[in-house]
């Protein structure tokens, strides 16, 4: 099962288009993170408390992620980083690590096939590299790895259709993703 964590502000924008192209022919569950409520992360590492409840939409999403084989992070590049909505979701992993209901969180995440699709307009093949590093380090902390990424270049609606490199990579993913 494939789950997409979409962090874009345009549901039909360049990032969404490239992601849907890469997943063409596959079944997937799409979470538009801008449509879910994610409260600021609660940091309880040093106060002796635990987290075992969530008063936002995080639990629904993380449970889907944990039930999936492949997770695709899809985000436009905003100010040389992933989107705030995607970052807010990842920040919640700190809570999950402290939740006794998810004792095997790291072990389960380590087995997932994680991928990243990012699209930007300001030389993203160079300037978006920190986004890739950010995701890699976050996954490494859990014992997981980033198995692939696509960087698309697009600024205006529809520009992704001009990026032959990103489109070719998307077609490669169609063949390499487990069906």
């Amino acid at each position: 099962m494939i789950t997409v964590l979409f962090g874009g502000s345009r549901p039909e924008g360049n990032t969404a288009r490239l992601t849907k192209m890469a997943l063409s022919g596959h079944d997937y569950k799409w979470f538009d993170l801008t449509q879910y409520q994610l409260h600021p992360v609660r940091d309880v590492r040093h106060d002796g408390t635990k987290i075992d409840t969530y008063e936002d939409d995080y639990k629904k999403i993380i449970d889907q992620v944990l039930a999936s084989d492949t997770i695709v992070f899809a985000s436009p590049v905003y100010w040389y980083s992933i989107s705030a909505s995607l970052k807010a979701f990842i920040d919640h992993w700190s809570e999950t690590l402290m939740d006794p209901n998810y004792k095997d969180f790291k072990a389960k995440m380590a087995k997932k096939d994680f991928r990243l699709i990012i699209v930007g307009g300001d030389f993203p093949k160079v300037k978006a590299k920190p986004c890739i590093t950010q995701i890699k380090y976050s996954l490494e902390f859990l014992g997981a790895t980033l198995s692939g990424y696509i960087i698309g270049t697009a600024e205006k609606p529809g520009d992704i259709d001009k990026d032959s490199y990103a489109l070719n990579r998307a077609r490669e993913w169609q063949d390499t993703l487990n069906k």
Side-chain angles (χ1 to χ4, degrees), residues 13 25 79 105 124:
W79 290 100
F105 178 64

Side-chain angles (χ1 to χ4, degrees), residues 92-171:
H92 273 66
W93 292 352
S94 296
E95 294 180 339
T96 311
L97 290 166
M98 302 302 294
D99 185 338
N101 296 309
Y102 293 94
K103 286 182 274 194
D104 55 353
F105 178 64
K106 276 183 149 181
K108 284 185 175 180
M109 293 293 271
K111 296 176 184 174
K112 306 296 178 193
D113 173 23
F114 286 98
R115 297 176 183 233
L116 173 65
I117 296 176
I118 49 179
V119 177
D122 186 17
F123 303 101
K125 288 177 179 59
V126 174
K127 294 182 177 181
K129 295 282 184 170
C131 297
I132 298 163
T133 304
Q134 176 185 22
I135 295 296
K136 281 184 176 180
Y137 286 161
S138 297
L139 293 173
E140 285 175 8
F141 184 83
L142 300 177
T145 58
L146 180 64
S147 64
Y149 63 86
I150 301 172
I151 302 173
T153 302
E155 188 171 329
K156 296 176 186 166
D159 276 358
I160 197 64
D161 295 332
K162 301 173 192 170
D163 185 344
S164 59
Y165 177 79
L167 297 176
N168 286 334
R169 293 280 294 133
R171 283 189 277 279

Side-chain angles (χ1 to χ4, degrees), residues 1-3 65-71 111-114 178:
M1 175 187 321
I2 300 171
T3 296
V65 165
L66 290 170
S68 300
D69 302 306
T70 299
I71 295 90
K111 296 176 184 174
K112 306 296 178 193
D113 173 23
F114 286 98
N178 295 327

Side-chain angles (χ1 to χ4, degrees), residues 47-67:
D47 65 10
T49 60
K50 64 180 179 180
I51 290 176
D52 58 8
T53 61
Y54 301 87
E55 297 177 5
D56 61 10
D57 297 321
Y58 174 73
K59 185 172 178 358
K60 174 182 180 176
I61 303 167
I62 195 61
D63 287 347
Q64 175 68 37
V65 165
L66 290 170

